[in-house]
Amino acid sequence: MRVGIVGYGNLGKSVEQLVKLQPDMELSAIFSRRSKLDTDTRVLPVAEFGQYKDEIDVAILCLGSATDIPEQAPEFAKYVPTVDTYDNHRDIPRHRKAMDEVAREHNTVSIVSTGWDPGMFSLNRAMAEAILPNAQQHTFWGPGLSQGHSDAVRRIEGVAKGVQYTIPAPDALDRARRGETEGLDGKSAHKRVVYIVPEDGADTAAIEHTIRTMPDYFVGYEVEVNFIDDATFVREHSGMPHGGHVITTGGVGENHQLVEYTLELSSNPDFTGAVAVAYARAAARLAEDGKSGAFTVLEVPPYLLSPVALDDLIARDV
């Protein structure tokens, strides 16, 4: 299947390398606003995307969640099946509805909000809660760098460079594993730590205020904002680790059951990209089967993600 990549930041670069490793995929082009990229893949103007729809079986949208995906993704879905990594949890129902309307109108497929959370964590939350009676469930993010939150921070006026780390409280993890969930919620169980390199002359007080009052991303959390120089940023904040836990407890009577799904990721973009690539395979297959509309990871049969034939998967894994 022929894959197009839209956007060439950290995620786009990871997806490019991951597609090259797939036995059933080939890269058609990278679409970017920039005319020159450090890549051997064909680079085309993103404004001309529609002209190349017959050369693409699926497009992976490697765009930011803060503004790019909500504003731009519906346009790409008019032409070919798409996959995105939209990660604003509260807004996913609206995003799915918007993409569904476009995809149905133009007879394409859009798989939205892939990645690890939303994505792999979403699947585990649904499965574990369905299986365990009286389920108590908590999701912990980090310690690690959040691409979506970091992208939102970098868009603030006066920010030259920025990253945001999410750090879970160790005592909260232990309480969740014991099923002691009273008063435990996502915002109280995490801290958000931000490192900013301000532009020369930037109003750092205004930057910090914008961060602390940003809805959906920082409001309600304990937030720490640090302003550092460029050399410190390059030395200490160039990596992109992340991970987290979905912890579900439940059972009947005194029988305590624990289901825990854990990710330890040395590269957030590589793993997020790997999930998007797998769902790109599924999107192309759904479209080939005549389906249309928008889908979340909860709605896609798992076998569609694999390059292995279904009969072989059943013989090997069931």
Side-chain angles (χ1 to χ4, degrees):
M1 55 192 69
R2 301 164 300 173
V3 178
I5 297 173
V6 180
Y8 199 64
N10 292 317
L11 180 59
K13 293 174 183 177
S14 291
V15 168
E16 179 186 27
Q17 299 306 311
L18 289 157
V19 169
K20 291 178 180 179
L21 298 175
Q22 306 306 311
D24 55 349
M25 294 183 179
E26 63 179 25
L27 272 173
S28 176
I30 296 170
F31 293 87
S32 175
R33 289 189 294 264
R34 294 175 287 164
S35 58
K36 293 184 178 180
L37 302 176
D38 185 17
T39 176
D40 295 330
T41 304
R42 179 175 60 158
V43 179
L44 298 172
V46 70
E48 299 176 5
F49 180 87
Q51 299 178 26
Y52 295 90
K53 64 179 182 178
D54 292 334
E55 300 179 29
I56 302 168
D57 296 311
V58 60
I60 302 176
L61 308 183
C62 300
L63 305 170
S65 290
T67 58
D68 287 349
I69 290 178
E71 294 175 0
Q72 300 176 29
E75 181 66 22
F76 298 116
K78 293 178 181 179
Y79 302 106
V80 300
T82 65
V83 172
D84 69 49
T85 60
Y86 188 60
D87 68 353
N88 186 345
H89 290 261
R90 289 178 57 186
D91 193 51
I92 288 173
R94 182 214 58 79
H95 176 58
R96 177 182 177 276
K97 184 175 184 293
M99 295 299 285
D100 188 65
E101 291 174 353
V102 173
R104 289 185 183 278
E105 180 181 353
H106 295 273
N107 198 33
T108 63
V109 168
S110 293
I111 301 182
V112 303
S113 299
T114 68
W116 62 276
D117 195 14
M120 297 299 95
F121 274 14
S122 309
L123 289 171
N124 188 265
R125 281 190 289 263
M127 288 292 292
E129 184 180 45
I131 292 167
L132 290 186
N134 306 311
Q136 301 282 342
Q137 193 166 71
H138 292 277
T139 302
F140 295 86
W141 302 278
L145 184 149
S146 169
Q147 291 186 95
H149 287 71
S150 297
D151 178 68
V153 164
R154 287 191 291 268
R155 291 173 180 271
I156 297 172
E157 183 178 355
V159 172
K161 294 181 180 178
V163 293
Q164 186 258 295
Y165 298 94
T166 301
I167 302 174
D171 65 317
L173 283 167
D174 291 339
R175 287 176 57 197
R177 290 173 180 137
R178 294 193 299 266
E180 300 171 0
T181 59
E182 184 176 353
L184 191 63
D185 60 47
K187 291 184 176 180
S188 65
H190 296 84
K191 180 178 182 180
R192 299 204 182 281
V193 181
V194 184
Y195 292 90
I196 298 292
V197 178
E199 295 176 350
D200 292 340
D203 185 341
T204 56
I207 292 172
E208 181 167 353
H209 176 76
T210 301
I211 291 171
R212 293 184 179 277
T213 58
M214 189 180 297
D216 300 324
Y217 286 89
F218 293 98
V219 171
Y221 288 89
E222 179 183 355
V223 179
E224 176 185 315
V225 181
N226 303 278
F227 292 95
I228 59 177
D229 59 33
D230 188 74
T232 302
F233 188 96
V234 172
R235 183 175 64 253
E236 299 180 4
H237 303 288
S238 294
M240 294 189 178
H242 217 312
H245 312 259
V246 175
I247 297 174
T248 309
T249 58
V252 179
E254 296 182 356
N255 295 317
H256 176 79
Q257 316 277 17
L258 168 66
V259 175
E260 182 169 350
Y261 181 74
T262 300
L263 290 175
E264 296 181 5
L265 312 175
S266 60
S267 171
N268 190 349
D270 282 357
F271 189 82
T272 299
V275 178
V277 168
Y279 277 95
R281 178 180 291 111
R285 289 174 170 174
L286 286 169
E288 185 178 345
D289 197 37
K291 301 293 193 298
S292 66
F295 303 82
T296 65
V297 298
L298 300 179
E299 302 166 83
V300 179
Y303 77 92
L304 292 178
L305 280 66
S306 176
V308 179
L310 177 58
D311 288 345
D312 294 334
L313 282 175
I314 293 171
R316 187 189 72 186
D317 295 334
V318 176

